[in-house]
Amino acid sequence: MPTYKAPVDDTLFLLNDVLHFERYGNLRGFGDATPDVLAQILGEAGKICEEVLQPLNRVGDEQGCVRRDDGSVATPKGFKQAYDAFVDGGWGGLSVPPEYDGQGLPYTLAVVMNEYASSANMAFAMYPGLTQGALAALLRHGSEEQKRLFVPPMAAGRWTGTMNLTEPQCGTDLGLLTTRATPLEDGSYAITGTKIFISAGEHDLSENIIHLVLARIDGAPAGVKGISLFIAPKINVAADGSLTDRNKIRCGSIEHKMGIHGNATCVMNYEGAKGFLVGEPNRGLNAMFVMMNEARLGVAVQGLAQSEVAYQNALAYAKERLQGRAPSGAKNANGPADPIIVHPDVRRNLMEIKAFNEAARGLALSAALDSDIAHRSEDAKARQAAEDRLGLLTPVLKGVLTDLGFESAVKAQQIYGGHGYIEETGVEQFVRDARIAMIYEGANGIQALDLVGRKLPKDNGRAAVAFFAEVNEFIARESANDEMKAFVEPLKTALGDLQKATIWLMQNALGKPDNGAGASYDYMHLFGRVALGYIWARIARAALEKKREAQGDGAWFDAKLTTGKFYMEKLLPETSFRLARITAGADTMMSLPVESF
Amino acid sequence: MPTYKAPVDDTLFLLNDVLHFERYGNLRGFGDATPDVLAQILGEAGKICEEVLQPLNRVGDEQGCVRRDDGSVATPKGFKQAYDAFVDGGWGGLSVPPEYDGQGLPYTLAVVMNEYASSANMAFAMYPGLTQGALAALLRHGSEEQKRLFVPPMAAGRWTGTMNLTEPQCGTDLGLLTTRATPLEDGSYAITGTKIFISAGEHDLSENIIHLVLARIDGAPAGVKGISLFIAPKINVAADGSLTDRNKIRCGSIEHKMGIHGNATCVMNYEGAKGFLVGEPNRGLNAMFVMMNEARLGVAVQGLAQSEVAYQNALAYAKERLQGRAPSGAKNANGPADPIIVHPDVRRNLMEIKAFNEAARGLALSAALDSDIAHRSEDAKARQAAEDRLGLLTPVLKGVLTDLGFESAVKAQQIYGGHGYIEETGVEQFVRDARIAMIYEGANGIQALDLVGRKLPKDNGRAAVAFFAEVNEFIARESANDEMKAFVEPLKTALGDLQKATIWLMQNALGKPDNGAGASYDYMHLFGRVALGYIWARIARAALEKKREAQGDGAWFDAKLTTGKFYMEKLLPETSFRLARITAGADTMMSLPVESF
């Protein structure tokens, strides 16, 4: 059976020593998050994930969710008790403002909790995770009345939330959306239509479910400019917050999926359901877009989370399984064979996963901190810089962390040999669960298009220019530091590849959009390798400093330096291959007639 | 529901025009395989796979196999009828010599059938597939009496076969094997022990199951030099071939696996079962190794097969699903949106799979032909050259075709967006089924070690030197051909990378085996990219020639040239990245203390 231990030490090192959390004490909610408090909160977060959520991960996979004939959905055995424990701990409202009964702590901590919970039990973590997404939309776009009515019970976890976008005929292309919203005399709307792939759309964990639904008000313009956002509660809510009658929303069926069996993926039928407009009419997509950075970062973290838990289990197996002898001579001469971690190729797999995990965590926390700065800083310049960087890096993180997170899970499974293919071992579940993160919340191809088509050219490339300048400044600052040479030089080469690719796009994609779209996936991965390399260089910088302070007891920091060096030597050089693919252009692949495929 | 169409035209093009099958008419069994006969056989092979095996693929996945309390195993509904149709068609004995009631046709055709059947229904195809493996071992190492007794009913499909190697404590490291064989007075042995992960170990498709079992004769030396190979029939067989009493072999349980649910993966308990020594005592591993080229090629083809069927279905979806507009302007202006194949990134995925499939098929058939030459040619030099090349390329094909086949299935799934994650669509099954091919028959890390540690240095590198010379000669021959420039130049660069990597290994791995083992996986993939590039160049050469002959109707050949060019531009450049990883060496990853992971 798989196990899980939350990487609290690594998170604390990243927050305190790499990202210098204490420098943000002036941000709302950060004053309370001293290093001691951080350690305590993360310790508690780890504990509930390890002890309550993780033991239910296999159960959830095996049992899945069951829809009853009346449209209600039963979650796997134990999920309800675990959910109660989760919300009793206050984890649902961690970063919600205190005026709506939340704890008002940094959003960054909610991202940490999301990582731990997703490692422990991804299907479970999605129930509170989707509530976070719905909360973010409500807090940003809801009226004061809507916030007062809906946010406190959602922050408390008594109610959960969902996002209803996809319909059978439209996923990526929301312009094709047909769900209707007919205005009623009381100012509300009657919503009619079918939504599919609605995660946590129906379940038995909470008293109520608040659906956020995209629909088209009667007479609205066609396409994406005629889409509005609505609140539609599963059970209607009186002005005093009490629950009244059942709304006309029904789970029509649940999907049988490759993974995340413990989360109900629902077809939701709206049959004249009561709904309330959020924000302005026909501006629903904008409302959605604003909150997408956070939702996409949440999915990026799921990629990391599956990689981390897969790593931990594969590592334990590699230390325990005896098979063959080390090429350099027996390491366990008295035993029947050596533990397989002595084999260089097993080690290579472990190192690749480890080198990804630690940098991915750093990147995700850095992005989360940017989100906090963007929302909480009183310095307009700092806000803009953070928002720019977050906007630029969000598609990179979503695309790259989920792609590589899945690859990590596959590598971890490989370490198990035949045992990795057996359900009982648990590692194949990580592969199946990780797979969805590459698809939902905008498939990774869409992330790549968002990066190249929107984020890169936005504001005349301001965000990208600033990011390149930031990395260049780091390189310049550290280039005289001999200890940093193994990090700075490869980073410089890789940044050069990224800049060359960016210039190629400017020169070749404007007049020929197929070149931009055709190169987008490689560009996203090239960008990701550089971003991971940059955070590795920052981690190395911090590790060198802390190692000096540690005076002798530096093994933990040495491991960081070795792992980072491995990244620089073995993984970062992929940038030149990506550059070659990009500059090869799209002509050949676009020239094949459809009928010749 | 997924569909499948056997790529008969592509196979025939490869056999006739790229590999020039007609030149081998002097080999045993090849004289009958004229182009017309080939077309007819492959047409029939495709038909049964499309019409009988493919419709049972989802059924097999959903139902799986069921072990009853008495140890018997029921295969999914319909498998028995399909199996009867399969053996009635003579497909089980296609390449078995006529003197043992087979059809004596080229082994290459059996490889084609394996591809089609594995695309249609991989779990099903494993039942006759494992029989092929057992047949190969018996034909090569069995006594004349054993061959007369066991081969004809296996060739006819009335009996099936299995391979019993793995035990709970030993997979890769067969030296740890503990299953015992105690000599009996009648010259047979009593076999006792537990074997795990035995594919097709028990089922209801055939009258009898012939297990080939590795065991240690009492008093044999420890390690791999004390292992012998035995025949142990499920039901004992009298001298006249009639079935007598039940042998003491029992399926103890079946595994619940990530995929290939339709094939029973059994724990087999041997409780003093009657067994017959095959070949010499203590030489069992050698007997196994000799037949491994074919078994590994069979698994390599499974990787291609899943990639092919995943491609066909993703392509159909990409032509049908309407979403968004082409970046270069609407292509389906009267419809609500364009088919997603217009999107460059969707096309990129499809092209990557297609460019892999067509070359992988060429490589697999080329290797199969080498196997035929090695076994059937009367020219000793030709036999040795073919054996050398087959031995060298087998680990490359097994490792690279299964890794890339799995990646293809993942890419195909991605094209479906959220629909690809739903079981009903069927594409996620291809991902789950394809995953095992990277693991069994020697995990891909073991293939890489076999390549670098055994095949490369064997006979002072004779096979590798010959392969490099062959590719170089092709390059030299075609370098003046302008039409071939887009193929020859990238191939030259890639071959240069492979040769540099080989020299690096010679200089750095001999004294430091960790460098060899640590680089092995990258070297295998580097070799694979070059081998795929080489066959693409040969395909292009043939396509150019056939296009000239076709006079005008050259669209089919143009597609080949475009797809090959795409391979050269986008996929082959990976060789330089692999070279960089190899030459970075293993020092960094080996330096991390185990406790620091």
Side-chain angles (χ1 to χ4, degrees), chain A residues 1-39:
Chain A
M1 285 288 287
T3 58
Y4 173 65
K5 180 97 182 59
V8 173
D9 287 348
D10 196 43
T11 309
L12 289 172
F13 167 70
L14 288 165
L15 291 178
N16 293 322
D17 302 319
V18 179
L19 300 174
H20 303 289
F21 220 61
E22 82 283 357
R23 291 184 194 162
Y24 302 91
N26 59 330
L27 299 187
R28 193 159 23 88
F30 275 62
D32 303 331
T34 61
D36 284 354
V37 172
L38 279 185

Side-chain angles (χ1 to χ4, degrees), chain A residues 182-198:
Chain A
T182 306
L184 300 178
E185 288 195 353
D186 64 357
S188 71
Y189 292 78
I191 299 176
T192 305
T194 300
K195 296 287 181 179
I196 64 168
F197 300 159
I198 307 307

Side-chain angles (χ1 to χ4, degrees), chain B residues 95 187 192 221 239 244 257 266 275 288 344 419 447 458 478 524 527:
Chain B
S95 64
T192 305
T244 59
K257 311 182 297 291
C266 303
M288 281 293 183
H419 297 273
Q447 303 300 325
K458 201 173 170 235
E478 298 297 333
M524 175 178 78
F527 209 123

Side-chain angles (χ1 to χ4, degrees), chain A residues 558-578:
Chain A
D558 282 335
K560 282 281 173 210
L561 293 166
T562 304
T563 309
K565 198 156 163 264
F566 177 87
Y567 180 86
M568 296 292 165
E569 289 172 358
K570 294 271 190 182
L571 301 173
L572 191 56
E574 187 172 332
T575 55
S576 70
F577 171 46
R578 294 287 180 179

Side-chain angles (χ1 to χ4, degrees), chain B residues 57-287:
Chain B
N57 194 38
R58 283 275 297 142
V59 177
D61 188 59
E62 282 171 354
Q63 293 188 359
C65 294
V66 178
R67 178 185 173 279
R68 303 189 194 90
D69 288 341
D70 63 359
S72 67
V73 169
T75 54
K77 195 165 184 289
F79 270 43
K80 172 65 179 153
Q81 292 90 319
Y83 182 77
D84 290 345
F86 188 90
V87 300
D88 285 351
W91 300 108
L94 203 64
S95 64
V96 173
E99 57 268 39
Y100 301 109
D101 296 0
Q103 304 200 39
L105 285 163
Y107 165 70
T108 303
L109 298 190
V111 170
V112 174
M113 184 52 168
N114 181 29
E115 186 206 320
Y116 297 176
S118 298
S119 279
N121 192 330
M122 179 165 153
F124 176 91
M126 290 171 66
Y127 293 101
L130 282 152
T131 308
Q132 295 304 313
L135 275 171
L138 284 174
L139 284 167
R140 203 77 62 78
H141 299 284
S143 66
E144 193 51 40
E145 192 192 337
Q146 288 169 340
K147 287 193 257 189
R148 291 270 158 230
L149 196 59
F150 295 106
V151 172
M154 290 172 77
R158 285 192 291 116
W159 301 354
T160 57
T162 74
M163 308 297 306
N164 289 235
L165 287 73
T166 306
E167 299 180 5
Q169 79 293 351
C170 74
T172 297
D173 187 354
L174 288 171
L176 302 176
L177 186 147
T178 59
T179 294
R180 290 193 331 267
T182 305
L184 300 177
E185 289 193 356
D186 64 356
S188 70
Y189 291 79
I191 298 176
T192 305
T194 301
K195 296 287 181 178
I196 64 169
F197 300 159
I198 308 308
S199 297
E202 178 59 59
H203 57 78
D204 52 10
L205 302 181
S206 60
E207 294 166 18
N208 201 6
I209 303 175
I210 307 305
H211 302 289
L212 291 186
V213 191
L214 288 185
R216 209 177 276 288
I217 298 174
D218 293 347
V224 293
K225 290 177 178 168
I227 299 173
S228 305
L229 180 64
F230 298 87
I231 295 170
K234 169 181 169 181
I235 304 174
N236 287 311
V237 179
D240 66 354
S242 63
L243 302 183
T244 59
D245 57 330
R246 191 56 205 261
N247 203 351
K248 288 174 186 152
I249 301 171
R250 205 180 129 92
C251 167
S253 62
I254 61 175
E255 307 288 355
H256 296 95
K257 311 182 297 291
M258 186 183 194
I260 49 164
H261 294 164
N263 198 280
T265 304
C266 303
V267 173
M268 298 301 293
N269 296 319
Y270 290 80
E271 294 153 350
K274 203 175 203 34
F276 307 93
L277 183 67
V278 180
E280 292 172 47
N282 302 333
R283 304 278 295 164
L285 219 56
N286 291 57

Side-chain angles (χ1 to χ4, degrees), chain A residues 87-347:
Chain A
V87 301
D88 285 351
W91 299 109
L94 203 65
S95 64
V96 173
E99 56 268 38
Y100 301 109
D101 297 359
Q103 303 199 42
L105 284 162
Y107 164 70
T108 303
L109 299 190
V111 170
V112 174
M113 184 52 168
N114 180 31
E115 186 205 321
Y116 296 175
S118 298
S119 279
N121 192 329
M122 180 165 151
F124 176 92
M126 289 171 66
Y127 293 102
L130 282 152
T131 308
Q132 296 303 313
L135 274 171
L138 284 174
L139 284 167
R140 202 79 61 79
H141 298 284
S143 67
E144 195 49 41
E145 194 192 337
Q146 288 169 338
K147 287 194 257 190
R148 292 268 156 230
L149 197 58
F150 294 105
V151 172
M154 289 171 78
R158 285 191 293 115
W159 302 353
T160 57
T162 74
M163 310 296 308
N164 289 235
L165 286 74
T166 305
E167 299 180 4
Q169 79 292 351
C170 74
T172 297
D173 187 355
L174 288 170
L176 302 177
L177 185 149
T178 60
T179 294
R180 290 191 336 264
T182 306
L184 300 178
E185 288 195 353
D186 64 357
S188 71
Y189 292 78
I191 299 176
T192 305
T194 300
K195 296 287 181 179
I196 64 168
F197 300 159
I198 307 307
S199 297
E202 178 61 59
H203 57 79
D204 52 11
L205 301 181
S206 61
E207 295 165 17
N208 201 5
I209 302 175
I210 308 304
H211 302 290
L212 291 186
V213 191
L214 288 184
R216 209 177 276 288
I217 298 173
D218 294 347
V224 293
K225 290 180 178 164
I227 299 173
S228 305
L229 180 63
F230 297 88
I231 296 170
K234 170 181 167 180
I235 304 173
N236 287 311
V237 179
D240 66 354
S242 62
L243 302 182
T244 60
D245 57 331
R246 192 58 205 259
N247 203 353
K248 288 174 187 151
I249 303 171
R250 204 179 131 91
C251 166
S253 62
I254 61 175
E255 307 288 354
H256 295 96
K257 312 182 297 290
M258 185 183 194
I260 50 166
H261 295 163
N263 199 281
T265 304
C266 303
V267 172
M268 299 301 294
N269 295 319
Y270 290 82
E271 293 153 350
K274 204 173 201 39
F276 306 94
L277 182 67
V278 180
E280 291 172 48
N282 302 333
R283 303 279 295 165
L285 219 54
N286 292 56
M288 281 292 182
F289 271 127
V290 173
M291 55 154 296
M292 260 184 195
N293 283 344
E294 287 178 20
R296 290 179 170 179
L297 179 57
V299 176
V301 167
Q302 291 179 334
L304 159 64
Q306 292 308 295
S307 179
E308 173 66 35
V309 70
Y311 171 78
Q312 291 187 13
N313 285 280
L315 174 62
Y317 187 81
K319 287 179 177 177
E320 177 189 297
R321 172 78 170 170
L322 305 180
Q323 208 77 178
R325 294 291 182 189
S328 53
K331 299 283 179 285
N332 176 35
N334 294 329
D338 288 349
I340 61 173
I341 195 169
V342 306
H343 296 295
D345 192 61
V346 171
R347 231 163 214 272

Side-chain angles (χ1 to χ4, degrees), chain A residues 168 171 173 256 258 323-324 347 352 410 413-414 421 423 432 435 438 569-570 581 588-589, chain B residues 168 171 173 256 258 321 323-324 347 352 410 413-414 421 423 432 435 438 569-570 581 588-589:
Chain A
D173 187 355
H256 295 96
M258 185 183 194
Q323 208 77 178
R347 231 163 214 272
E352 287 184 8
V410 171
Q413 182 184 24
Q414 192 72 12
Y421 201 65
E423 288 176 9
R432 288 185 289 104
R435 184 66 185 88
M438 297 156 71
E569 289 172 358
K570 294 271 190 182
R581 281 170 58 102
T588 304
M589 73 183 182
Chain B
D173 187 354
H256 296 95
M258 186 183 194
R321 173 77 170 171
Q323 207 77 179
R347 230 163 214 270
E352 287 185 6
V410 171
Q413 183 184 24
Q414 192 72 12
Y421 201 65
E423 289 176 10
R432 289 185 288 103
R435 184 67 183 88
M438 297 157 71
E569 289 173 357
K570 296 272 190 182
R581 281 170 57 102
T588 303
M589 74 183 181

